[in-house]
Amino acid sequence: MKKIAVVGLPVTAALVAALYFSPYITLYNLRVAAEAGDAIGISDRVDFPAVRESLKASMTANITKNAAKDLESNPLAGLGTMLAGAMVSTMVEQLITPEAIARMVLEGKARKAAGDEPESFSAKPGEKLIKRYVGFDRFETRIELDNGENSVTTTLRRENLFFWKIKHIDINLGMAS
């Protein structure tokens, strides 16, 4: 009985730790894949159709929210909003692919090597990075700018006990005047 307790306790502790840290490991592996330009590694950790749809909705909502301010003074703002919505859809479809993201990260690394880019993926001065569980099967990372007025929230969903995928990205631009 003591053997089971001696072996079982560390094994249980290791499983609980792996369960808890699994979204952090997924984010780390995603960063490594992006930095290596590994489109397949990126694709394994991101549900691209779901992310594209969430980004389209988020960006369209931001444009609509900003345009609502202009509608009173500019009658053509509505037309601009419609055109912007179509452009957002096309832009997201073209840019949010594993290959495009890998290419952007690699190009960013090249600019960083030339001295044109910041050093890391971590929060910069003036930014607040929050990582938290929102439930057993949901984990969020949130970067807040400008005292929380502007933010980007990435939601990961548990695929099985230890594997997570990014399913949703929400961009909230306060667009204060």
Side-chain angles (χ1 to χ4, degrees):
M1 191 62 145
K2 285 184 182 180
K3 265 187 181 177
I4 293 174
V6 169
V7 172
L9 188 59
V11 169
T12 302
L15 286 173
V16 168
L19 191 65
Y20 177 79
F21 288 108
S22 58
Y24 294 95
I25 293 167
T26 296
L27 289 170
Y28 173 79
N29 288 334
L30 177 62
R31 187 176 99 191
V32 168
E35 288 176 342
D38 179 7
I40 294 171
I42 294 169
S43 183
D44 287 346
R45 292 164 182 87
V46 179
D47 181 349
F48 278 95
V51 166
R52 280 191 288 269
E53 290 307 312
S54 69
L55 275 173
K56 287 179 198 176
S58 175
M59 293 174 78
T60 302
N62 281 306
I63 290 169
T64 303
K65 181 171 58 173
N66 193 41
K69 298 173 191 174
D70 296 336
L71 278 175
E72 295 171 12
S73 61
N74 184 356
L76 294 176
L79 177 63
T81 302
M82 288 183 352
L83 291 173
M87 287 176 25
V88 162
S89 181
T90 302
M91 181 181 70
V92 167
E93 288 294 330
Q94 295 295 315
L95 291 177
I96 308 303
T97 66
E99 297 79 16
I101 289 176
R103 189 172 47 251
M104 285 186 271
V105 171
L106 288 176
E107 288 171 3
K109 283 175 66 175
R111 284 195 304 267
K112 181 176 84 173
D116 295 340
E117 282 292 306
E119 279 291 312
S120 72
F121 283 97
S122 359
K124 317 291 183 283
E127 295 178 354
K128 182 178 179 183
L129 177 62
I130 302 163
K131 296 178 184 177
R132 67 186 181 123
Y133 275 91
V134 184
F136 177 75
D137 66 343
R138 201 167 116 203
F139 186 84
E140 286 183 352
T141 63
R142 180 179 173 95
I143 298 175
E144 293 181 350
L145 307 160
D146 307 320
N147 295 320
E149 181 157 338
N150 300 311
S151 63
V152 177
T153 304
T154 304
T155 304
L156 289 86
R157 290 276 186 176
R158 190 183 296 274
E159 294 282 303
N160 61 40
L161 277 180
F162 302 105
F163 189 76
W164 296 74
K165 256 190 172 180
I166 295 177
K167 298 283 188 172
H168 186 89
I169 297 177
D170 181 45
I171 299 173
N172 180 26
L173 302 175
M175 296 186 186
S177 300

